Amino acid sequence: MTNGRQEKDNGFPKRLALLHYWNALLVALLVFSGLLLFSSSWKELLGEAKIWIKWLHIMIGLVSILPVLAYLGSAVRHWQLLKGKPWQRLHIIVVLLLVMGWFISGVLLWQFQAMGPGVSNAALLAHDVFVWLGLPLFLYHSLTKLGRLKEPRRHQSQGFGRFYTRKDFLRTVIGAGLAISVVPALIKWIGDLGSGPEFQAVNKEGTNQLLPAPQPSADSAPPVGGGASGSFRSYSVTRLPFFTNDNWLFTINGLVEKPITLNWEEFVALKRSVQVSNFHCVTGWSVYNNTWEGIPLKELLEKAEVKAEARVVKLYSGDSMYTDSLTLQQADMDDIIVAVLHDGQPIPKDLGGPVRLIVPQMYAYKSVKWLNRIELIEEDHIGYWGQRGYEQDAWVQG
Ligand SMILES: Nc1nc2c(c(=O)[nH]1)N[C@H]1C(S)=C(S)[C@@H](COP(=O)(O)O)O[C@H]1N2
Ligand SMILES: [Mo]
């Protein structure tokens, strides 16, 4: 009996150390994959791979609850051991709350889209707040531990720790963190070396330098418009394209009686209208009360005289990569707009300027940025995100 009891006592700290190890490893992987998903510069570099990283992030997130559940079985005993160590007790509570918060908000984001943007907005906000609370703590904990740890005594360690010590682990964490923050800037810098000063000058501007600048109508300002709330997260699956009067053209062709090609001067001269709407990304963020000024898609299609056999409106981005489509019936909705101004300002380059589509009643992946071509076709076309598993009909629920 006594023997068994002793063995159990030795086993307990080991069990805790193992749980701590798994928790640290999983949190580190979640932090890194999460940062990759969050950062706009990585989005441009990752393109396609973003889908896989997101999958990985979700799967690791699901697994990350296991060490927590396993710990809960030992929590009472551990709690008693920590008598007189209030800081360690607080640390345990904070880590448990963070992991639970991440987990629950993550599951809501992943599985509860059908409950509409309200729920997703709240879940994403919670997910972000937990990150901005948890990340500094995670870094602080890693750094102070790294400073205090004795040099590894490899011959005394067992198992994995023999060749990969805690210190090695912490070094990997810090190294990977640095790499994640520095690599995109480095790649961009190398990319820019290959291009002339002209490109760099244009590319650094926040807006495209197309002239004449579009003049906002009165309705783009208050009381009708001009009051968006929330902030856009800039998404692109390529490096940001840039346009000047020389390389920008807008085309409508395919199954139409009167194909249209307009240069910038002709395009800004078209009659515009104003429309106020909410903008929802399927990943959980929204921007409310946007004032878009531009040409209703419907009017452009009428001008081009769509042929009877056309069924689908294919939308092309000037980034030469991104496309999406609407059925002709969907494209007939009055609020779809080929937008030039947002809240009375030219649409910034990173938000799809000079011209982007806005489809208010659908998730924003239908709202093609840098729109410069509309083709009328007979067969279906599955767009960039549709090919990667998102709904072809992207109606916003709720
Ligand atoms: N060309 C292009 N258009 C695009 C995207 C893109 O990556 N490239 N992302 C879509 C998605 S998923 C969203 S949520 C919105 C984001 O718009 P924003 O970058 O202006 O915030 O643009 C949509 N249109
Ligand atoms: Mo999106």
Side-chain angles (χ1 to χ4, degrees), residues 235 281-283 364-365:
Y235 282 9
C281 172
V282 70
T283 64
Y365 57 88

Side-chain angles (χ1 to χ4, degrees), residues 21-37 53 56-61 63-64 138 169 172-173 176 180:
Y21 168 75
W22 278 107
N23 189 55
L25 181 68
L26 293 170
V27 168
L29 290 172
L30 285 171
V31 166
F32 295 146
S33 51
L35 286 176
L36 288 179
L37 291 171
I53 293 176
L56 207 68
H57 186 77
I58 292 171
M59 289 304 132
I60 301 170
V63 173
S64 74
F138 172 74
F169 174 75
T172 313
V173 165
I180 285 177

